Amino acid sequence: MDSVIKRFKALNHGDDYEENDARFDGVKLKEGTSAKLSSLDKLFEELKISKESSAKEDLVTEPMKTESYLYKDYFNKSPIDFPWEKAYEKGSSLGPDFYIDYENIFDNVANLAEIEEKLELHFRPFTCVMDFNCRFSMYELCLLLAESRFDPSSHPSVVVKITHPSAQVKIHAGGKISSTALNADSARSGLFKVIRILQDLDYKVDIMNFSKNIVNASFSMPFKIDLDLMSRRHVVEVAQNRSRRPFITYTTENLGVRFAVFPTGFVLVLHSTSHCETREAIANFLPILAKLKNGYPTAEEKLGQLVGDISYKLFWEKQLEDDKEGMLLYS
């Protein structure tokens, strides 16, 4: 420590200048009050800023001004706070209406791709998920199971290809097994087929939870839907509860497929068992929606941004998938 102190004493600092000091013989400093000021003090003097005032300014901070959005806390609240008034605001058409033959939507195969693009028609794969109280070794499973693949760089699960029926099963190390197929029966059969194979391999797989997706497709009409008129025209098929959900449900009579219809024109297809059934239900439902036109959606609604920058389409799809007891649909 003494050696460090001696080194600092040996340094020549202009701020340590004293008269009659032999260390500064031959060194001339400017006369006046500024001669004994450090470079930092000179800088403050040139800028006409005192250190006291700058310190006070550092301590005083103004609160940040936050913009107030009418529905900014909507997604942290209950579904009761859905902005119905905002949903009924009418926008303007961005161009001439694209002609869609709603009576024969899937008949003309040549225009089908363009029509599906205009309607933003998206099909969901059928999935079944089971949770087990068992832990799996990924590398061990990949060696034991035929037609399996484990690539941790792309997905942290063992992927098993099932051919009869055609399905893809993913086994996670934590005990979750999911099956994906083109219809609900294939997804369920593929899942149970893998479970039986695991039991034959002496894995103790005790089922803790079973679930399947209920959202099978979605599309957006190029116009808004008059839900009040729809409720009056289809009393038997329509159910609504504005205190719990921002959509009405329409149940088909012969197929049992259910639609969740939003006032913005966005529609979710629920409880289907195959893509053929989904297409048939949509084909029967589109002519009904075509007679309920209620203006055009706004620019925010076309992007799904009814509230801030959060997509209400994805939000309510997730709400329905998480609603295992059906409280949103049947209450």
Side-chain angles (χ1 to χ4, degrees):
M1 180 63 71
D2 294 338
S3 61
V4 175
I5 295 175
K6 289 179 181 179
R7 289 182 183 180
F8 275 103
K9 285 185 177 180
L11 296 176
N12 294 334
H13 298 286
D15 294 337
D16 297 334
Y17 172 79
E18 296 180 3
E19 293 182 359
N20 302 323
D21 194 332
R23 291 180 302 166
F24 297 97
D25 289 342
V27 179
K28 293 183 180 180
L29 298 177
K30 293 182 181 179
E31 297 180 356
T33 56
S34 62
K36 296 183 180 181
L37 294 177
S38 66
S39 59
L40 183 61
D41 292 327
K42 292 179 181 179
L43 179 61
F44 275 105
E45 185 181 26
E46 292 177 2
L47 297 175
K48 296 182 181 180
I49 301 175
S50 65
K51 287 188 284 187
E52 291 80 4
S53 62
S54 64
K56 291 180 181 179
E57 290 176 359
D58 292 337
L59 294 176
V60 179
T61 58
E62 296 182 358
M64 294 179 62
K65 296 181 179 180
T66 57
E67 299 181 3
S68 58
Y69 296 98
L70 184 59
Y71 307 105
K72 65 177 181 178
D73 296 327
Y74 163 62
F75 289 107
N76 296 325
K77 297 181 180 180
S78 63
I80 299 175
D81 300 323
F82 185 81
W84 285 99
E85 295 80 6
K86 190 173 182 179
Y88 278 102
E89 292 178 1
K90 298 180 181 180
S92 58
S93 177
L94 298 178
D97 292 339
F98 177 79
Y99 175 73
I100 299 176
D101 185 7
Y102 294 105
E103 298 290 339
N104 306 288
I105 186 68
F106 293 112
D107 290 350
N108 191 350
V109 181
N111 297 331
L112 185 57
E114 189 174 5
I115 291 175
E116 289 184 348
E117 182 181 358
K118 294 296 181 181
L119 292 178
E120 300 178 19
L121 178 58
H122 300 288
F123 292 96
R124 309 289 192 275
F126 293 87
T127 60
C128 293
V129 180
M130 272 192 179
D131 292 322
F132 301 91
N133 61 347
C134 181
R135 297 296 179 265
F136 300 105
S137 171
M138 299 289 95
Y139 292 101
E140 180 181 312
L141 282 178
C142 193
L143 291 174
L144 294 175
L145 296 175
E147 297 292 333
S148 63
R149 176 172 53 88
F150 177 53
D151 185 4
S153 61
S154 60
H155 199 277
S157 64
V158 173
V159 180
V160 184
K161 182 181 178 182
I162 306 297
T163 54
H164 300 289
S166 180
Q168 185 184 71
V169 180
K170 294 181 180 179
I171 306 175
H172 298 262
K176 177 177 290 187
I177 303 179
S178 61
S179 176
T180 304
L182 294 178
N183 58 69
D185 291 336
S186 297
R188 183 171 57 252
S189 300
L191 180 64
F192 283 104
K193 186 173 183 179
V194 171
I195 293 174
R196 286 193 296 270
I197 295 175
L198 292 175
Q199 290 175 340
D200 293 339
L201 294 173
D202 291 333
Y203 281 98
K204 305 301 181 181
V205 286
D206 295 329
I207 299 174
M208 298 177 61
N209 184 31
F210 172 77
S211 62
K212 61 180 181 179
N213 67 316
I214 66 170
V215 179
N216 308 120
S218 66
F219 60 92
S220 295
M221 301 297 288
F223 47 79
K224 290 193 169 188
I225 306 299
D226 191 339
L227 299 187
D228 295 331
L229 180 60
M230 187 176 185
S231 301
R232 293 193 298 269
R233 289 184 177 179
H234 307 276
V235 180
V236 178
E237 297 87 355
V238 169
Q240 63 177 334
N241 186 352
R242 289 194 178 184
S243 63
R244 295 193 59 84
R245 53 183 182 263
F247 53 83
I248 66 172
T249 58
Y250 181 96
T251 306
T252 57
E253 183 178 356
N254 55 341
L255 297 174
V257 177
R258 183 169 292 223
F259 295 91
V261 185
F262 291 77
T264 58
F266 179 65
V267 181
L268 291 172
V269 187
L270 316 171
H271 298 306
S272 177
T273 59
S274 65
H275 287 310
C276 294
E277 187 176 273
T278 303
R279 286 194 295 269
E280 183 180 352
I282 292 175
N284 295 333
F285 191 51
L286 283 176
I288 298 175
L289 295 178
K291 300 175 183 178
L292 301 169
K293 184 176 179 180
N294 191 27
Y296 295 96
T298 61
E300 293 81 6
E301 291 167 344
K302 290 178 180 177
L303 298 175
Q305 298 175 351
L306 257 187
V307 184
D309 57 353
I310 302 177
S311 173
Y312 76 93
K313 300 178 181 179
L314 296 178
F315 174 81
W316 282 102
E317 181 175 342
K318 185 177 185 303
Q319 288 289 97
L320 289 170
E321 292 290 2
D322 295 340
D323 183 36
K324 304 305 181 184
E325 298 179 357
M327 298 300 295
L328 283 176
L329 290 176
Y330 303 106
S331 61

